[in-house]
């Protein structure tokens, strides 16, 4: 009897060892395939980065599924009933792990409908930033805004559950039309020459953006053709209004979201320089005076 038990133990140990060897070989082969595939889709130009990212993700998920099936066939007896197993597992996830199931559904929705993609600047709920990664349960944003002005990067990575695409509205800065409207307000005194101030603002904008108008026009035509996005005017405009501070000049123009702060800086510097030489234009701002009695 003891000899028979020892014999069975030897058989079991042999099968386990052989299964381990086969598992290691499968993992090694899949690793080689992944490395080889990565080299075949290597980045050739900067524009290839998004394509390479999606190809890498596709290869990773495909090899993971293939590895699961092959290794499962080694270790699980009656692996032909895996369909039933996966069905029960999915039902269990749907009931007991609702959030995980919703995040997976969100991941499928993001890849299928593409409300946003890697590299897009988006806002979803209270989170705003550039999409830097898409994963099975969450996507990652390089945060912009928050305590930083003009929507520049904060340096933080924010991980957002994929299920948020079903519950929170999304704003995409990059899809459809890659430019946004920006406005800057300047105030001059009521006795200032506002007509001349308007012309100076327009001249400054044309000097700064003359090289970018063709790109904006091409983007406008593409947006109108693909998404029926249309603006009556895409060149810089100055609107005038009187309020308690004097004459408000609102400079409205199209700019790229990532260049907003730089352009605001250039415009402000140019306005301060030009207005300082004009005697008929005086910039006004609120002043608070405090008188201390001795």
């Amino acid at each position: 009897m003891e000899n028979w038990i020892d014999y069975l133990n030897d058989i079991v140990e042999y099968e386990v060892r052989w299964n381990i060897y086969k598992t290691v070989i499968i993992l090694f082969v899949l690793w080689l395939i992944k490395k080889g595939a990565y080299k075949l889709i290597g980045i050739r130009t900067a524009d290839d980065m998004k394509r390479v990212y999606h190809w890498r993700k596709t290869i990773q998920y495909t090899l993971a599924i293939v590895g699961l099936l092959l290794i499962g066939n080694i270790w699980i007896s009656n692996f032909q009933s895996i369909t039933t197993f996966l069905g029960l597992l999915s039902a269990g996830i749907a009931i007991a792990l609702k959030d995980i199931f919703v995040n997976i559904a969100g991941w499928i929705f993001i890849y299928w409908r593409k409300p946003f993609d890697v590299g897009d600047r988006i806002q979803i709920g209270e989170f705003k930033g550039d999409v830097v990664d898409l994963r099975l349960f969450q996507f990652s944003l390089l945060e912009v805004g928050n305590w930083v002005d003009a929507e520049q990067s904060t340096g933080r990575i924010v991980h957002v559950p994929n299920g948020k695409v079903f519950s929170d509205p999304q704003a995409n800065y990059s899809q459809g039309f890659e430019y946004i409207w920006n406005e800057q307000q300047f105030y001059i005194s009521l006795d200032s020459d506002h007509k001349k101030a308007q012309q100076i603002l327009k001249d400054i904008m044309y000097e700064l953006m003359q090289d970018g108008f063709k790109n904006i026009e091409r983007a406008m035509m593409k947006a109108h053709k693909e998404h029926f996005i249309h603006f009556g005017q895409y060149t810089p405009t100055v609107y005038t209004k009187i309020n308690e501070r004097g004459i408000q000049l609102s400079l409205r123009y199209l700019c790229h979201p990532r260049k907003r702060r730089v352009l605001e800086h250039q415009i402000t510097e140019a306005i301060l320089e030009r207005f300082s030489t004009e005697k008929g234009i005086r910039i006004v701002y609120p002043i608070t005076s405090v008188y201390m009695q001795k």
Side-chain angles (χ1 to χ4, degrees), residues 128 141-148 152-158:
K128 185 186 301 182
L141 301 177
L142 179 60
E143 186 185 39
V144 300
N146 205 326
W147 68 86
V148 179
Q152 285 197 305
S153 175
T154 65
R156 297 194 309 184
I157 298 293
V158 179

Side-chain angles (χ1 to χ4, degrees), residues 254-273:
L254 284 166
C255 69
H256 197 280
R258 292 177 175 84
K259 298 179 180 179
R260 177 181 165 193
R261 190 169 198 179
V262 173
L263 191 55
E264 283 186 351
H265 169 74
Q266 293 174 341
I267 293 170
T268 304
E269 288 280 334
I271 288 174
L272 291 174
E273 183 178 347

Side-chain angles (χ1 to χ4, degrees), residues 63-253:
L63 293 179
I65 294 173
V66 172
L68 179 64
L69 294 175
L70 293 175
I71 295 173
N73 193 34
I74 293 173
W75 292 98
I76 302 176
S77 59
N78 299 323
F79 195 70
Q80 291 75 13
S81 61
I82 191 65
T83 305
T84 304
F85 169 74
L86 291 177
L88 294 174
L89 180 62
S90 300
I93 291 175
I95 296 172
L97 302 174
K98 178 184 176 183
D99 291 340
I100 294 179
F101 181 76
V102 171
N103 288 334
I104 294 175
W107 174 75
I108 295 173
F109 176 79
I110 292 170
Y111 269 92
W112 177 41
R113 295 291 299 174
K114 288 195 177 299
F116 51 82
D117 203 349
V118 175
D120 289 354
R121 174 164 293 186
I122 69 168
Q123 178 173 353
I124 178 166
E126 60 182 300
F127 307 108
K128 185 186 301 182
D130 300 321
V131 182
V132 294
D133 195 14
L134 298 173
R135 294 182 179 271
L136 187 61
F137 299 111
Q138 62 186 16
F139 59 92
S140 301
L141 301 177
L142 179 60
E143 186 185 39
V144 300
N146 205 326
W147 68 86
V148 179
D149 291 335
E151 295 184 353
Q152 285 197 305
S153 175
T154 65
R156 297 194 309 184
I157 298 293
V158 179
H159 303 290
V160 184
N162 291 334
K164 285 285 186 180
V165 297
F166 298 126
S167 59
D168 292 353
Q170 302 121 50
N172 195 319
Y173 290 59
S174 307
Q175 244 180 35
F177 187 58
E178 60 181 0
Y179 293 88
I180 61 172
W181 285 103
N182 192 40
E183 289 193 8
Q184 288 179 252
Q185 281 81 36
F186 303 93
Y187 298 89
I188 58 177
S189 61
L190 291 174
D191 58 352
S192 295
D193 187 349
H194 68 279
K195 289 291 186 182
K196 190 172 185 179
Q198 289 183 39
Q199 189 58 48
I200 290 174
L201 292 180
K202 291 180 181 179
D203 291 343
I204 289 173
M205 291 305 303
Y206 278 95
E207 290 172 8
L208 293 176
M209 298 185 64
Q210 59 181 347
D211 295 334
F213 284 144
K214 291 184 179 180
N215 294 332
I216 293 176
E217 185 177 6
R218 282 195 295 266
M220 182 76 70
M221 294 177 62
K222 182 180 178 182
H224 180 66
K225 183 178 179 181
E226 296 181 357
H227 301 279
F228 205 69
I229 297 174
H230 178 71
F231 298 116
Q233 181 177 355
Y234 62 87
T235 54
T237 308
V238 181
Y239 294 98
T240 307
K241 184 172 71 173
I242 296 177
N243 60 21
E244 66 276 4
R245 292 175 59 177
I247 301 175
Q248 175 182 298
L249 301 177
S250 297
L251 178 59
R252 178 175 168 85
Y253 55 90

